[in-house]
Amino acid sequence: MKKSVKIVLATAIALPIVVAAAIPLFVNANTFRPTIEKRLSAALSRKVTLGDLSLSLTKGRLDANDLAIAEDPKFGQTSFFTAKRLHIGVQMKPLILHHELQIRSFEVDAPQIHLIRAEDGTWNFSTLSHGTDSLNTTRPTALPDLPVDQITIKDGNAKVETLPLQKNPQVYDHLDVMLEHFSLTQAFPFTVSASLPADGKVEVSGTVGPINPQDAAFTNFDTQIKIQHLDPVTAGYVEQATGISMIGGLDAHVVSDGTNVTSDGKVHAERLILLKGGKAAPYPLDLSYQVVHSLKSNSGQVSDLVFQTGAIAIHIKGNYQLTANVPVFDLKLLAQSVPIDDLQALMPAVGVKLPNGATLKGGTLSADFTIKGSPTDNVIVGSYEIKDTKLVGYDLGSKIAGIAALGGIKTGDTTAIDISRANVRITKSGSESTEIFSVLPALGESTGSGTVSPSGQLNFHLISKVTSAKGLNKVGVNLLTKLNSTSDAAKPSTATGIPISITGTAEDPVITADVNGLVKGNAATLKKKLSKLFGKKQ
């Protein structure tokens, strides 16, 4: 090959490379910074600032340092959004030949995002794309659209707080976001994924837009949300003081029409506790829900919230109001003849405790309760009724101190309960049960009332008509019949049965029958009754 031909070929190959390498020397990327800042500031209605820009010809983009989006002044002076690097995909030919900026994409590396919700329900992002600068109080105008093929956020961190500030904000780490065919005036698809504390994962996908120019929080969207290994307390969704805890998963469909947000889905909960002082459910439960939330009134309607375990369902309905970002609710719980065997997992979660080693077998539960207040300060009022069940693994007869002298109550390790019902009032100060009525064949009919302290201490006082009991021996039954039928004796024989007190705790109750008091109160008459009973002279 001739030397001249080689020179021509080498020049043909090298010239484009040299030109490409030389372009950044002749194109000052920072000349585009005011234009980019102005466009972004106009589109977001917030001041946007960038650091130094550099041109990457091979990647077809401008690289900017130190991106910052200003905060709404009502929420403070620190930046709403910051990032060390912003990559701006541009059309290179118009940029180089005509200094014309045509943006194709944005890619943000490791941004820090701070989301704040005020007491009135407004967010610090509400004034994004407001149509005016957030410092300007004039009526919002039409938005200058900024269509972009793709916006990507990689490995970001978002912190979500409420005012007044809480101790445990929500934190989303390793945040990845993809917005495709982004437009302020058209709906566009998106995907979001992030990590939650305690190894939780969240994924959101759907469509959003067009952006509401009056309030970005009122923008339409249609999304599917999936959360895995959710610890709501650690993640900041639930305050520890509520006593609610679990490890769960969520699969939900959430839709907003700009006025109402409708959400329905299912929570799969493990180690669930729903009431302060409760114990973790021994196996998983499913909770399905349907909620409609009004964005304007910051309130909502729970059309159905269902606890599902086994073949049963317990329904809760009602409404709530978010006041200072704390829900205040008025709910109704209803259970109709629910099989107790299917309730074993839910009972510990709502604070129902049984004597150590004991379980309920068979029978049904009906309950009707109202739940009013906040998660940390509420009042639960209503009634329950248990029918045809058995307390297995607890020898009630041997545990009743004072009754053995009259022949004892024979129950073995299984105590039949024909019926047990009461009115109940539960507050953070403990619980109070009134109009207690129970029928235990081994003990007879019992009535009374009692309380449970916040620490779980029992203080119940019952009167048992043991004369109808089947578990007492004949001598005991006859003796108690004589005592209970005495009309001229001093108190406590005026009571129509034996006083029984229950103290201790639900797991380790101390049950005492006041036979001594009954005998002392009938001392004069008892001598006559015993003589007649055993056929002896006085």
Side-chain angles (χ1 to χ4, degrees):
M1 183 180 295
K2 293 182 178 181
K3 185 175 181 181
S4 59
V5 175
K6 292 181 179 180
I7 294 173
V8 170
L9 288 176
T11 303
I13 294 172
L15 184 60
I17 299 174
V18 172
V19 171
I23 285 175
L25 300 177
F26 297 98
V27 178
N28 184 357
N30 278 308
T31 60
F32 297 101
R33 184 169 60 188
T35 301
I36 297 173
E37 290 178 338
K38 183 177 180 180
R39 282 196 192 181
L40 292 177
S41 296
L44 298 178
S45 305
R46 299 279 181 89
K47 184 178 181 180
V48 177
T49 57
L50 298 173
D52 286 336
L53 267 66
S54 60
L55 176 63
S56 176
L57 188 64
T58 56
K59 295 182 179 180
R61 70 189 191 191
L62 294 169
D63 294 326
N65 294 326
D66 301 322
L67 165 67
I69 302 174
E71 179 62 278
D72 184 327
K74 294 184 295 185
F75 290 85
Q77 299 302 317
T78 59
S79 296
F80 161 75
F81 186 111
T82 60
K84 289 296 183 182
R85 297 285 285 177
L86 170 66
H87 309 293
I88 307 168
V90 296
Q91 297 288 354
M92 296 307 296
K93 185 176 180 180
L95 181 78
I96 296 170
L97 298 181
H98 308 292
H99 276 221
E100 181 180 328
L101 185 65
Q102 296 182 13
I103 297 175
R104 297 182 293 104
S105 64
F106 291 104
E107 181 180 312
V108 188
D109 291 341
Q112 302 292 312
I113 309 168
H114 193 192
L115 304 176
I116 307 174
R117 183 173 184 169
E119 292 186 61
D120 62 1
T122 59
W123 289 86
N124 64 336
F125 64 80
S126 292
T127 52
L128 283 174
S129 302
H130 205 268
T132 64
D133 189 284
S134 60
L135 294 173
N136 190 342
T137 58
T138 60
R139 185 186 180 97
T141 59
L143 293 173
D145 195 13
L146 182 66
V148 178
D149 288 344
Q150 185 173 299
I151 297 178
T152 306
I153 292 175
K154 294 183 177 181
D155 198 26
N157 176 278
K159 181 168 66 173
V160 183
E161 295 187 289
T162 58
L163 297 178
L165 294 177
Q166 306 294 317
K167 295 180 180 179
N168 194 19
Q170 299 171 23
V171 177
Y172 300 86
D173 206 1
H174 304 295
L175 176 67
D176 293 329
V177 179
M178 174 75 76
L179 311 178
E180 297 183 90
H181 310 298
F182 173 82
S183 170
L184 295 172
T185 60
Q186 301 290 331
F188 55 88
F190 75 96
T191 60
V192 176
S193 65
S195 298
L196 296 172
D199 298 323
K201 302 288 185 183
V202 58
E203 295 179 354
V204 185
S205 61
T207 58
V208 61
I211 305 299
N212 187 307
Q214 281 74 43
D215 189 333
F218 286 68
T219 295
N220 294 7
F221 60 80
D222 187 332
T223 63
Q224 196 72 30
I225 301 175
K226 292 185 178 182
I227 301 180
Q228 299 176 352
H229 206 269
L230 171 65
D231 182 336
V233 175
T234 304
Y237 294 145
V238 175
E239 288 292 323
Q240 188 172 11
T242 65
I244 299 172
S245 66
M246 70 172 179
I247 298 297
L250 170 68
D251 192 344
H253 183 213
V254 185
V255 179
S256 175
D257 61 5
T259 301
N260 296 310
V261 178
T262 302
S263 177
D264 63 270
K266 180 175 289 187
V267 177
H268 181 74
E270 299 181 4
R271 304 200 292 274
L272 176 67
I273 300 176
L274 289 171
L275 194 68
K276 192 171 185 178
K279 291 185 176 180
Y283 52 84
L285 297 97
D286 288 327
L287 167 64
S288 59
Y289 72 91
Q290 295 177 349
V291 175
V292 178
H293 179 79
S294 170
L295 293 170
K296 292 184 178 180
S297 64
N298 213 19
S299 62
Q301 183 75 30
V302 181
S303 55
D304 200 12
L305 188 153
V306 187
F307 290 100
Q308 297 173 316
T309 173
I312 63 95
I314 297 176
H315 295 264
I316 296 178
K317 299 181 180 182
N319 54 70
Y320 64 88
Q321 176 74 53
L322 288 178
T323 303
N325 287 310
V326 175
V328 177
F329 41 74
D330 185 353
L331 304 173
K332 184 82 169 179
L333 180 150
L334 187 64
Q336 293 285 357
S337 300
V338 175
I340 287 178
D341 289 344
D342 290 332
L343 282 174
Q344 295 299 321
L346 189 57
M347 289 167 61
V350 295
V352 175
K353 300 175 182 178
L354 298 175
N356 291 325
T359 58
L360 290 173
K361 296 291 185 181
T364 61
L365 167 72
S366 296
D368 189 346
F369 286 97
T370 60
I371 308 169
K372 296 183 178 182
S374 70
T376 57
D377 188 8
N378 55 72
V379 178
I380 303 173
V381 178
S383 61
Y384 72 87
E385 182 175 80
I386 297 173
K387 287 185 176 180
D388 303 321
T389 190
K390 293 179 175 64
L391 184 65
V392 179
Y394 186 76
D395 188 351
L396 176 64
S398 68
K399 300 294 183 180
I400 304 180
I403 208 77
L406 297 176
I409 295 177
K410 312 300 181 183
T411 63
D413 67 351
T414 299
T415 302
I417 302 173
D418 288 352
I419 190 170
S420 178
R421 64 173 179 256
N423 295 333
V424 179
R425 177 183 173 87
I426 304 172
T427 69
K428 64 181 181 180
S429 299
S431 69
E432 178 183 7
S433 299
T434 58
E435 298 186 32
I436 297 173
F437 176 78
S438 63
V439 178
L440 282 63
L443 187 60
E445 295 182 6
S446 298
T447 58
S449 61
T451 61
V452 181
S453 73
S455 63
Q457 295 298 309
L458 307 178
N459 185 19
F460 282 79
H461 300 280
L462 306 175
I463 297 295
S464 288
K465 297 180 180 179
V466 295
T467 54
S468 63
K470 299 177 181 178
L472 282 167
N473 67 26
K474 185 175 181 181
V475 174
V477 170
N478 288 339
L479 178 56
L480 292 172
T481 299
K482 297 300 182 181
L483 292 173
N484 289 335
S485 63
T486 300
S487 59
D488 55 359
K491 292 181 178 181
S493 66
T494 52
T496 58
I498 292 183
I500 293 179
S501 65
I502 305 175
T503 56
T505 64
E507 298 96 326
D508 188 17
V510 177
I511 308 172
T512 305
D514 190 13
V515 176
N516 289 333
L518 187 63
V519 172
K520 289 178 181 179
N522 290 274
T525 306
L526 181 59
K527 188 176 181 180
K528 297 179 183 179
K529 300 298 182 181
L530 287 174
S531 297
K532 291 180 180 180
L533 179 63
F534 294 102
K536 296 181 180 180
K537 294 182 180 180
Q538 298 179 21

